[in-house]
Each structure stands twice: as C-alpha cells, then as structure tokens.
Amino acid sequence: MIRVARGATGFWGQGDDPLRQVDVVAFKTACHALARSIRATVGPVTPAGVTPSFHTVLITAPGIRSTVLCHEVLPVVAFVASPPRAGAPLTDFTSPPAWADTFELCGFRLLDVDELSMPLAAADTSELAEAELEQVRYWRPGTVGELMFNWWD
C-alpha cells in the first residue's frame, strides 16, 4: 500500500502552517544537470501557482521528448507522455526513463507509473490534513496521480 504524504494535494487548512514549497531553483538545477548528462535541451519551466499543483518542463534531445512534472510541495518528479493541458486531469503518466536518475541524485524521488495510477481507494491517506481530505471529497480523484498533480483551486 502506498502512503500519500501530507501536502500531496497542495492544500492546507485555515490556521495550519503553510506547506513548505519545493525549491524551484533546485528543480531547474536538476533539469540542467540531467540535460548536460544526456546532451538535451531544457525548455522553460512553467511554474505551479494557484493551479496547477506542479511545475512543468520539457526536456528534448535527439530521440527524446519528455515532459517532467515536479510537485509544488513534495520533492517528487513524475513523467507524462504529453504536455499537460490546463484544467485537464493527467492520466498519461509514464515510468521514469533510464536517464532520470539525476533527479534522485539531486534529492527528488522518482514516481513510477504504478504508484501514480494506483486507485486512491487502495492508498493510505491517513497523513493528509483535514483540509486536504475535504478537497479530495470535493474533487474525487480516482488515482494517486490525479490527487498529486491537479488543477484544483
């Protein structure tokens, strides 16, 4: 069973301490270190905001076109087959490519497609704050990936 960490939704309750944000500079640095190792190009980072709950970057090289997501709160990275469309649920998660280990060396955990596609009902959500559980009840994500990488406002 996968335990979903507090902050996975990106929400916190009134009166709760704000959640610590992932260092975007560290994410960009990891992207550029990775790009140097595979001779790739890093596109501009689309930052998280009110929505979405994640940063996005496109990494390209000959034979490689990979969209990378970095959670706004948790130091985790995921990959999707196509760039996100504003407001659309992310359902095309892919396993991290073999060259993605640079993210782990930079302190990010790689999320596998099996983890992201796990039905939320099968995951342990006991660490989520009440404000997060309220959002889950409202938005009704079907999978761990839909919960973590969302456009909720």
Side-chain angles (χ1 to χ4, degrees):
M1 177 179 287
I2 294 171
R3 177 171 291 166
V4 181
R6 183 174 187 280
T9 65
F11 283 84
W12 63 90
Q14 191 173 22
D16 290 346
D17 289 333
L19 299 171
R20 193 167 179 207
Q21 305 293 296
V22 164
D23 183 354
V24 180
V25 173
F27 174 60
K28 289 178 184 180
T29 300
C31 289
H32 287 283
L34 178 131
R36 282 189 301 278
S37 73
I38 62 169
R39 296 190 175 154
T41 302
V42 177
V45 172
T46 303
V50 174
T51 64
S53 65
F54 53 91
H55 311 289
T56 307
V57 69
L58 181 65
I59 295 178
T60 56
I64 296 172
R65 184 173 175 83
S66 193
T67 301
V68 184
L69 310 177
C70 177
H71 195 273
E72 179 181 25
V73 174
L74 304 175
V76 297
V77 171
F79 293 81
V80 288
S82 56
R85 289 187 343 263
L90 298 171
T91 57
D92 62 346
F93 291 103
T94 62
S95 290
W99 45 260
D101 61 344
T102 300
F103 285 111
E104 289 182 316
L105 297 172
C106 292
F108 293 89
R109 186 168 74 83
L110 298 174
L111 297 175
D112 191 77
V113 69
D114 292 337
E115 183 175 3
L116 293 163
S117 61
M118 172 179 271
L120 191 56
D124 176 359
T125 57
S126 63
E127 285 188 19
L128 296 180
E130 183 53 41
E132 293 182 286
L133 293 171
E134 185 178 307
Q135 293 298 318
V136 168
R137 287 189 293 272
Y138 180 81
W139 293 101
R140 300 177 188 234
T143 66
V144 170
E146 288 175 25
L147 178 141
M148 294 183 71
F149 298 94
N150 67 64
W151 301 89
W152 307 344
D153 57 0

